[in-house]
């Protein structure tokens, strides 16, 4: 039960006081992520310099899980190299699928609180929206 309380606390905090939900006019990578099944729609905005994500933000609307997950993700990837951010994204997806080890979960910090979302199939797309959008945005930037 303590784990569920921790999960709820983190989601609530990131919904009521999202640190990264704002515009970022000087972003040099911008991509929209949409989850048509529940109406989540975010615009992920990243500022990448010399392969490092120096700043990031998102705007848009969606359920509590999609908004909190995007906010948590940005807190984790800002300051990291693009490759490291992509690896964290892959790890997050593996965690959601129940394929990550406990040791690997430590790398995800607060994002690991979302691991039980795998037991709520209808919410999985909500949780991974920001992460998939980040992976796509960084991939498109390289093309």
């Amino acid at each position: 039960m303590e784990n569920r309380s921790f999960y709820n606390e983190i989601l609530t905090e990131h919904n009521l006081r999202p640190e990264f939900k704002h515009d970022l006019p000087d972003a040099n990578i911008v991509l929209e992520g949409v989850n048509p099944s529940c109406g989540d729609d975010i615009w992920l905005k990243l500022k990448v310099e010399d392969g490092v994500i120096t700043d990031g933000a998102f705007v848009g609307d969606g359920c509590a899980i999609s908004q909190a997950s995007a906010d948590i993700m940005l807190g984790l990837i800002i300051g990291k190299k693009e490759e490291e951010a992509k690896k964290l994204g892959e790890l997050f997806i593996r965690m959601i699928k129940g394929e990550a080890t406990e040791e690997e979960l430590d790398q995800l910090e607060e994002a690991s609180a979302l691991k039980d979302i795998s037991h709520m199939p209808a919410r999985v797309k909500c949780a991974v929206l920001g992460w998939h959008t980040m992976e796509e945005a960084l991939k498109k930037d390289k093309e």
Side-chain angles (χ1 to χ4, degrees):
M1 197 63 180
E2 179 185 320
N3 201 20
R4 174 132 343 250
S5 169
F6 179 62
Y7 161 85
N8 287 334
E9 212 173 284
I10 287 177
L11 277 182
T12 301
E13 182 62 29
H14 283 277
N15 275 301
L16 294 177
R17 289 176 280 289
E19 185 177 350
F20 301 102
K21 189 173 184 177
H22 56 81
D23 194 19
L24 188 64
D26 61 343
N28 54 6
I29 299 176
V30 177
L31 187 67
E32 182 179 25
V34 178
N35 176 2
S37 62
C38 79
D40 297 328
D41 185 355
I42 66 166
W43 284 91
L44 183 64
K45 301 176 177 219
L46 301 174
K47 185 173 180 183
V48 178
E49 297 170 334
D50 300 322
V52 175
I53 301 167
T54 59
D55 203 358
F58 74 101
V59 293
D61 297 300
C63 69
I65 293 171
S66 72
Q67 302 294 288
S69 186
D71 196 57
I72 291 167
M73 176 197 71
L74 284 162
L76 194 58
I77 67 167
I78 292 172
K80 303 252 188 322
K81 291 183 177 176
E82 288 180 83
E83 285 309 308
E84 195 175 350
K86 286 183 205 171
K87 283 184 178 145
L88 288 168
E90 291 164 9
L91 177 55
F92 184 84
I93 303 303
R94 285 189 23 245
M95 174 192 74
I96 294 297
K97 292 178 178 176
E99 299 170 358
T101 67
E102 285 299 317
E103 293 76 34
E104 288 177 311
L105 294 182
D106 289 343
Q107 296 173 54
L108 290 173
E109 299 172 17
E110 267 190 329
S112 68
L114 295 169
K115 74 177 180 179
D116 290 333
I117 222 88
S118 61
H119 304 301
M120 300 176 256
R123 310 307 272 160
V124 166
K125 286 183 180 175
C126 307
V128 300
L129 178 63
W131 298 84
H132 277 311
T133 306
M134 179 262 296
E135 288 177 333
E136 282 299 307
L138 294 177
K139 191 184 332 176
K140 284 186 183 208
D141 183 49
K142 292 293 178 214
E143 293 173 354

